[in-house]
Structures are given as C-alpha cells and as structure tokens.
Amino acid sequence: MKPDWDKLMTAFKDSKTQLIADVDCTTEGKPLCDANGVKGYPSIKWGDPADLQDYQGGRDYTTLENFAEEKLKPICSPANIDLCDDDKKEQIKKYMAMSEADMDAEIAKYEKMQVDAEENFKTEVAKLQENYQKLSADKDAALAAVKDAGLGLIKSVKTAKKSGSDEL
C-alpha cells in the first residue's frame, strides 16, 4: 500500500482543499494518532480534522484516487456552513449557542456511548468465542463417539465384503 499512498500524496500535493498525508504513529505522531483513535497500522482517516472518520475502502491507487476525488472536498462544518442542509445548520446553531462546559459534557456523553459500544462488542465477541469453543469441543466429542460406535469398523467390513474376503 505504501507505494500507492506515496503516489497519491504526490498527485494531490498542490491541492488547496485536499490533504493526503501520512503520520508515523510510533514516533512524534503518536499523540495525533491517539487523539484520533488509531488502533492499527496502516490506518486511513478522512474528513473534518476535528472529526476524522475511518476509511473502509480499497487500498489500491485507483480506488484511493477515486475516493479522494469524490469525498475529499469541503464539507458541512462551522467553517463551511453554506454546504450544510437545514438540519445540520440548526444543529451547528444549537452547538454554537452552548457554553464550553455544556459542549464538553455533550462530547463526553457521546464519547461514553462510543466506549460503551466498544465494550459491548468485546463482551459479546468473548461470549461468541466461548460458545464457539464449546460447540467445537461438542462436535469433536460427537465425531469421536460416532467413530467409537463402529463407523470405521463397519466401513472396513463393507470394503472387505466387496473384495470377497469374509475372513474373521
């Protein structure tokens, strides 16, 4: 992916509205990566710098270039309110009227919802994993019981009968 990413950065280096960059999350870029929820490498984030989103598309040059051309453009935000629909304008107006403490509380509420969603996901995946292990063990035991009940022996006898050997 790195060669395609470097090619993409070069292709968009003179853009006034699209920034294609990379950040080393293991060195001086670590605080930026931590603040934006980067958990694995390489990660691609896009959108408003104050609200970066995870990129979910393909990682070849053509797909990345098409995404950049279609999606990396000015979007609805307080700085670009003219690009917002009426609902978003109302939402921005509501937030602009809030005190900083109220905004912090609202942000904390939403961030807690994200943490709760992640924790619920991890808990449920652990349950699925536990269930999978039990089902796998049950299946192995059932297959062993079938074999022990005589499946292998009856197949052997059948083969022997077909070959004309009735020796015991």
Side-chain angles (χ1 to χ4, degrees):
M1 185 184 119
K2 179 76 169 129
D4 285 339
W5 190 256
D6 290 343
K7 184 177 173 184
L8 191 69
M9 285 193 304
T10 299
F12 284 85
K13 71 178 180 181
D14 295 325
S15 174
K16 302 284 189 230
T17 59
Q18 298 151 310
L19 172 64
I20 311 290
D22 56 17
V23 175
D24 185 346
C25 292
T26 63
T27 58
E28 67 277 350
K30 186 167 180 5
L32 179 64
C33 295
D34 290 345
N36 286 288
V38 174
K39 293 181 174 95
Y41 313 110
S43 290
I44 300 176
K45 299 280 189 169
W46 71 280
D48 186 322
D51 183 31
L52 293 175
Q53 303 299 311
D54 291 325
Y55 171 75
Q56 302 294 337
R59 294 181 174 225
D60 61 280
Y61 179 78
T62 302
T63 304
L64 290 166
E65 181 185 39
N66 288 340
F67 181 85
E69 288 173 352
E70 292 173 20
K71 299 286 188 176
L72 298 185
K73 52 189 170 188
I75 59 172
C76 168
S77 70
N80 293 306
I81 198 124
D82 55 311
L83 299 176
C84 301
D85 62 29
D86 290 341
D87 290 339
K88 287 291 181 198
K89 286 178 182 177
E90 282 302 312
Q91 205 172 10
I92 290 170
K93 186 177 174 182
K94 173 185 147 193
Y95 292 148
M96 294 293 278
M98 294 172 87
S99 69
E100 189 166 337
D102 288 343
M103 281 192 278
D104 287 342
E106 192 78 359
I107 289 167
K109 177 182 88 174
Y110 287 122
E111 287 177 342
K112 181 176 182 334
M113 290 167 71
Q114 288 179 317
V115 168
D116 290 348
E118 283 288 336
E119 287 176 1
N120 181 59
F121 174 77
K122 288 177 184 175
T123 299
E124 295 302 317
V125 166
K127 288 179 190 176
L128 286 171
Q129 183 64 32
E130 187 177 307
N131 192 37
Y132 169 81
Q133 288 173 338
K134 181 187 177 313
L135 289 169
S136 183
D138 290 351
K139 176 200 70 151
D140 291 345
L143 293 176
V146 167
K147 183 178 175 186
D148 291 345
L151 176 63
L153 184 58
I154 197 168
K155 285 182 174 182
S156 178
V157 170
K158 181 179 177 186
T159 301
K161 280 180 85 172
K162 278 186 179 178
S163 67
S165 171
D166 343 348
E167 288 184 30
L168 291 177

